[in-house]
Amino acid sequence: MSMSSQEKPVTYRDVFSVTSELGSKSIAPQDAAIMQSAESIALGHIPKGGPASLMQSAVSQNESIGVVAPDDMTDFARDQGVTVSQVEVGGTRIVSESVGGEVIAQYIYRSEAAGVDEEKAARYPTTGVQEEAVTVGEALEAVALKPAGDKPIEQSDAAAIQAAEARATGQSEVVPGGVGAEAQRAASVNARADDKITLGDVLTDATHKLTDDKVVKKEDAEGVGGAEIRNTPDLATHPGGVAASITTASNLNIF
């Protein structure tokens, strides 16, 4: 492979059938992270070989040649959003996934075959906004389903989880035995242990670990994102992590 080929970024047009200006944009890490969150929330998992997986593979190549940074996001995703929507036609569920308002993939999705809760999957109509708003607990559970669920918990993750719990319960103090306290203990253990506790270990069934829950709003995303950023050396959120999932949920919700 020539040097020029190695340095060529992977664009949306290289991966998807897009004809707008989006096609010329390099696939960015935060675009992929948001799509992962959207798929996890809407479908209950990330389809193998689906748009989010393809985007993540492209991001890995783009990062390896230095054309994107971990916190990069295209203006299309930032300004117009990333959505996963579903509609049932004659008993068949069709999923459409969009970036910046342009559909990048559309496919038949059989949730029962994939082992996904049909009732949960049916909550998402063609508009890309769910009929029932996503709660803090559901957004936290989505992190456990994504590749980020394998990430060992660090202080930044614990801070974000504690902030999310506070938003859900309305309690400013850490709830004894709650998901925030569990995350903080995990971060402390991970700082000195070889066998790490992951986000998935703590956030699975997060809705049942919260003493109360609430629909995610924009101000919740800002609060959780701020907590995560303040506890990272590079002042950035983790792609596909707690803050990213809460932000995706706030973007999907209608108020």
Side-chain angles (χ1 to χ4, degrees), residues 163-174:
E165 182 178 45
R167 293 279 178 173
T169 63
Q171 300 183 43
S172 57
E173 298 180 355
V174 177

Side-chain angles (χ1 to χ4, degrees), residues 115-235:
V116 177
D117 188 330
E118 179 70 26
E119 181 179 353
K120 180 177 181 180
R123 289 167 43 184
Y124 299 82
T126 54
T127 59
V129 184
Q130 70 281 18
E131 294 170 343
E132 294 180 37
V134 181
T135 68
V136 171
E138 289 171 335
L140 291 177
E141 288 181 352
V143 179
L145 293 170
K146 298 194 298 292
D150 294 329
K151 177 184 181 294
I153 292 182
E154 301 175 85
Q155 183 57 45
S156 58
D157 304 307
I161 293 169
Q162 288 177 342
E165 182 178 45
R167 293 279 178 173
T169 63
Q171 300 183 43
S172 57
E173 298 180 355
V174 177
V175 178
V179 67
E182 186 178 348
Q184 185 58 61
R185 284 195 298 272
S188 299
V189 169
N190 287 349
R192 59 180 185 274
D194 293 328
D195 189 13
K196 307 293 186 182
I197 302 170
T198 67
L199 286 168
D201 293 332
V202 171
L203 296 181
T204 298
D205 295 326
T207 52
H208 299 295
K209 297 177 181 178
L210 295 172
T211 58
D212 199 2
D213 204 357
K214 60 164 281 189
V215 167
V216 179
K217 297 184 179 181
K218 182 178 180 181
E219 53 265 33
D220 301 318
E222 292 172 349
V224 173
E228 187 169 318
I229 288 171
R230 287 192 298 272
N231 288 274
T232 57
D234 57 356
L235 299 179

Side-chain angles (χ1 to χ4, degrees), residues 90-107:
T92 298
R93 190 167 300 282
I94 299 174
V95 175
S96 297
E97 304 199 19
S98 304
V99 175
E102 179 168 0
V103 175
I104 62 171
Q106 192 170 61
Y107 53 92

